């Protein structure tokens, strides 16, 4: 299945972006990429198994992605207002 | 080389190229544009996989909704001020190594999977099929997702208020 | 009349309704506009009602108290109807359906429990007491709490308390009993911490909760033992038979009862619980909560009869608690603490009775004690209310003329507790002493000593509060009718309940030992000596006696016998330090061991993660982390606060899971 290979590469690109970049917006975009990779996988397997369950799951993932983006960007805005930075390694208040 | 294969490679190139650009461009606006290209490529792959409904949903929701949201935020935050800064993490080697490990393991795993023989999609239209599955077998998750969206809306409104 | 039996399930529903109403709607501005004002800002116990900001009749606030009292009254009337109609076991629905559970001896038993109520003589006594005295305390609270903020919270929790207590006593199996058991713990936590702006109150609430948890752990373990032995938790289905594990089960149940009923060594929470509003203390000490422990043992009577060695422990603990707490009560300056230690002491007497097998006597003492202890607490509340929150006995005195109603009822309650002949306490104490005499002279001596001390400290209390001249400087007024009427109603119980000892025992199906006139005489003599001694020391209106000084022994007793300090040293500090080290060791041993066990990938994960995390931690962390480093060595690095280091862990975990899958299938 070539689609799975594409999905894997997309996932790895997303992961690399997630772990390497410092800009939170781009990190959020990387998360979108990862979710897209998952969706692609789901749809590919739905096709393979000949039913629509995978597609429905992909829909759910899209809905979750929307929620995630909305909340994530909301947090980002609040953070920017308070800290004047969007560089993720300068934000470490999550500890302890 | 059939037309299908040609399209597959074209969309794959769009997807992966866009994704690669999205995570490497210093400018957030450029990254967002590249992300759009990538998402369009994924949408094209959906079309190839006879998931027409998802194709439309992908374009409307992702490109029309999420990406727009990203662009709005980029403008609000004036991210391009950060262009000149260091773009990658100080210890980027760690992240790269971890990604590589995950990639290798997953690739090996993927290559070893034995799939059952492929089955044909039912002949009904894709939208009907998705609608039937969604509203019959997955009705409860569907409702739960609506709740999740509501929570997300409330949450982001709360987070976005001036005095949070 | 059988209508009441058919609708047995309604009895707990009424107070639950009240609690739900209050909790859900209470914050509504019409119901309680003063919640924002909160409890007394000026530090002492009670508002006194002289704050100009507080307008007690604002909105629908006046409705809260009567409404909640009404629910409890309904519950009481329903209980009365049901009790008069007969006995019934009513199963509402299957609550826990066939949970398989490995027993201790390797068998598998299924845990099945109904949500069902059992009305038999024992629970009949308890529900009448809980709802009846609970109702009087509700009525009293209407006036007492009129000027405090958060009225809906107060009455809501009070109703919740009654509800859980009713579930506890009506339950037809040990698991449902545990629901009520935990529930009263919760309600008491909420009520003790009612004045949540005061640190001492929240601390006391926490203490009560935690100490109860110790006992609860015992109860829960005992439950599992019972389930293993009998395969059921239903009272009526449990056929008592000797079993090698049975002493464990009853011993653990006893531990639970000790926690809830504040026996040695788990008693210090009860005196501290005085931080709550006074009617709450009355409710907790008289009708609910602390009697739960006694009730539990009475309920488990067939099991305890088979394990006399556990009964011996109970009797010993009870005797020790009774004497020690009576000594502590003797030295307190705080009027409520005197009563609190007195409750501990009386509970000790009940445990003594339980231990020697006089279950009916223990229950009888629960009932009579409920009457006069509620009366005493409400009287004390009336005094405190009149004195604007003054609780120190040394600044009271001479209230006899200023508060005649409170004076009469409270002295009556004190005499009943002291065991003056003819009053309630005399008879119930006598039944306990009779049973103790039959068991062991030492226990009898302890009981008699307790009776002597009780009479003495109650005499001291009354003389310090009401005798002599007023030693404070406030304007004193008699409490309103709504507070004195419940006091008079309770007096009827304190006066008359004792005479019902014979019918009471018969109703429970017990056959008490015949009264011995010499024990009766000894008991009466001891009470008289105690009261007389108190009069000799405090009768002059001096307000000081040997028990009020600052001698080392007296101070030691006043502080609760050093148990608090012991707990602080052993449990708090020991847990804080030793526990940290233990946890660290656990992390090192078990978690890292688990990682190792997951194979080479897991080991690699640990190595990379550790290496990765060292660079994430910044200098500040190193500086502050030195002191805790030893106790949190491996887990601390995982909490760097850097989102991306978490991302690394997530991705690595994914890889590890995939790798494990590969490794397993290879």
């Amino acid at each position: 299945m070539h689609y799975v290979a594409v999905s894997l590469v997309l996932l790895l690109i997303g992961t690399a972006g997630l772990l390497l970049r410092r800009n939170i917006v781009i990190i959020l975009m990387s998360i979108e990429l990862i979710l897209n990779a998952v969706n692609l996988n789901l749809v590919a397997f739905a096709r393979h198994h000949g039913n629509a369950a995978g597609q429905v799951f992909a829909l759910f993932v899209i809905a979750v992605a929307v929620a995630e983006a909305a909340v994530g960007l909301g947090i980002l805005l609040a953070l920017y207002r308070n800290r004047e930075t969007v560089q993720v390694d300068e934000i470490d208040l999550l500890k302890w | 080389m059939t037309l299908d294969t040609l399209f597959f490679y074209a969309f794959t190139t769009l997807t992966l190229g866009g994704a690669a650009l999205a995570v490497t461009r210093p400018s957030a606006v450029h990254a967002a544009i590249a992300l759009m290209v990538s998402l369009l490529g994924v949408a094209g792959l959906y079309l190839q996989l006879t998931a027409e409904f998802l194709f439309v949903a992908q374009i409307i929701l992702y490109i029309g909704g999420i990406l727009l949201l990203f662009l709005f935020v980029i403008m609000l935050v004036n991210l391009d001020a950060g262009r000149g800064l260091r773009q990658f993490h100080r210890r980027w080697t760690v992240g790269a190594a971890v990604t590589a490990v995950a990639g290798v393991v997953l690739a090996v795993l993927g290559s070893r999977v034995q799939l059952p023989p492929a089955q044909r999609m039912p002949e009904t239209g894709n939208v009907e099929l998705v609608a039937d599955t969604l509203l019959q077998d997955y009705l409860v998750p569907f409702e739960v997702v609506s709740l999740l969206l509501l929570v997300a809306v409330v949450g982001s409104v709360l987070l976005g208020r001036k005095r949070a | 009349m059988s209508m009441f039996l058919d609708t047995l399930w309604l009895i707990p529903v009424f107070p639950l309704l009240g609690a739900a109403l209050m909790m859900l709607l209470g914050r509504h501005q019409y119901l309680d506009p003063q919640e924002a004002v909160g409890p007394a800002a000026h530090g002492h116990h009670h508002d006194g009602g002289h704050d100009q900001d507080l307008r007690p009749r604002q909105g629908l606030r006046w409705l809260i108290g009567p409404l909640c009292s009404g629910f409890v009254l309904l519950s009481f009337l329903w209980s009365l109807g049901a009790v008069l109609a007969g006995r019934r076991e009513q199963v509402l629905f299957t609550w826990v359906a066939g949970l398989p559970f490995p027993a201790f001896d390797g068998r598998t038993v299924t845990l099945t429990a109904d949500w069902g109520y059992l009305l038999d003589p024992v629970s009949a006594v308890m529900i009448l007491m809980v709802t009846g005295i609970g109702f009087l305390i509700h009525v009293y609270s209407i006036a007492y709490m009129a000027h405090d903020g958060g009225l809906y919270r107060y009455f809501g929790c009070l109703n919740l308390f009654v509800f859980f207590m009713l579930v506890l006593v009506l339950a037809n199996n040990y698991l449902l009993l545990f629901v009520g058991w935990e529930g009263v713990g919760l309600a008491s936590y909420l009520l003790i911490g009612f004045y949540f702006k005061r640190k001492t109150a929240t601390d006391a609430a926490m203490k009560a909760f935690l100490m109860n948890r110790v006992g609860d752990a015992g109860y829960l373990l005992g439950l599992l033992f019972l389930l293993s032995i009998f395969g059921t938790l239903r009272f009526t289905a449990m056929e008592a038979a000797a079993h090698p594990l049975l002493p464990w089960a009853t011993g653990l149940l006893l531990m639970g009862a000790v926690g809830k009923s504040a026996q040695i060594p788990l008693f210090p929470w009860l005196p501290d619980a005085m931080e709550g509003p006074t009617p709450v203390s009355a409710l907790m000490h008289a009708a609910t909560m602390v009697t739960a422990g006694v009730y539990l043992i009475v309920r488990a009577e067939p099991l305890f009869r088979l394990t006399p060695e556990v009964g011996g422990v109970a009797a010993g603990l009870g005797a020790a608690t009774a004497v020690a707490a009576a000594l502590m009560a003797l030295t307190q300056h705080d009027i409520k603490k005197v009563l609190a230690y007195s409750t501990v002491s009386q509970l000790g007497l009940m445990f003594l009775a339980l231990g020697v097998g006089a279950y009916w006597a223990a229950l009888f003492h629960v009932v009579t004690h409920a009457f006069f202890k509620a009366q005493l607490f409400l009287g004390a509340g009336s005094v405190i209310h009149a004195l604007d929150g003054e609780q120190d006995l040394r600044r009271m005195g001479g209230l006899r003329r200023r508060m005649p109603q409170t004076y009469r009822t409270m002295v009556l309650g004190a005499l009943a507790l002291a065991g003056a002949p003819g009053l309630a306490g005399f008879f119930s104490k006598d039944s306990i002493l009779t049973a103790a005499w039959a068991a062991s002279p030492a226990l009898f001596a302890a009981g008699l000593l307790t009776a002597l001390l009780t009479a003495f400290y109650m005499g001291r209390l009354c003389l310090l509060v009401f005798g002599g001249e007023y030693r404070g400087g406030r304007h004193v007024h008699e409490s309103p009718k709504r507070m004195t009427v419940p006091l008079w109603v309770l007096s009827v119980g304190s006066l008359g309940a004792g005479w019902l000892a014979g019918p009471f025992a018969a109703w429970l199906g017990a056959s008490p030992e015949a009264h011995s006139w010499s024990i009766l005489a000894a008991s009466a003599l001891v009470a008289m000596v105690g009261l007389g001694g108190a009069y000799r020391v405090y009768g002059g209106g001096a307000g000081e006696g040997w028990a009020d000084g600052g001698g080392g022994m007296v101070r030691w007793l006043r502080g609760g016998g050093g148990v608090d300090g012991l707990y602080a040293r052993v449990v708090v500090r020991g847990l804080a330090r030793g526990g940290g080290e233990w946890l660290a060791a656990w992390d090192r041993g078990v978690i890292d061991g688990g990682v190792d066990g997951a194979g080479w990938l897991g080991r690699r994960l640990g190595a990379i993660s550790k290496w990765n995390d060292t660079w994430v931690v910044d200098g500040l962390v190193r500086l502050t982390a030195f002191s805790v480093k030893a106790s949190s060595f491996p887990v601390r690095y995982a909490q760097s606060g850097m989102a991306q280091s978490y991302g690394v862990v997530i991705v690595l975990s994914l890889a590890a899971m995939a790798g494990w899958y590969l490794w397993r299938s290879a």
Side-chain angles (χ1 to χ4, degrees), chain A residues 11 15 17-22 27 88-89 91-96, chain C residues 618 620-621 624-625 636 639-644 646-648 651 654:
Chain A
L11 175 83
T15 311
L18 175 71
L19 296 185
L20 300 183
R21 293 298 298 251
R22 295 177 70 220
I27 288 175
V88 74
D89 52 358
I91 302 162
D92 55 2
L93 284 179
L94 210 61
K95 83 178 120 193
W96 290 306
Chain C
D618 52 45
L620 189 72
V621 176
T624 50
R636 186 185 44 192
Q639 295 274 326
S640 62
M642 291 295 198
Q644 280 173 317
Y646 299 154
V648 166
V651 175
L654 174 74

Side-chain angles (χ1 to χ4, degrees), chain C residues 463-485:
Chain C
L463 289 165
L464 283 182
V465 173
F466 297 108
E469 289 305 313
Y470 184 45
R471 295 181 292 274
R474 292 171 200 273
H475 169 72
V476 182
H477 57 92
E478 175 61 285
S479 300
K481 272 242 162 42
R482 269 171 303 174
M483 286 166 72
T484 52
V485 167

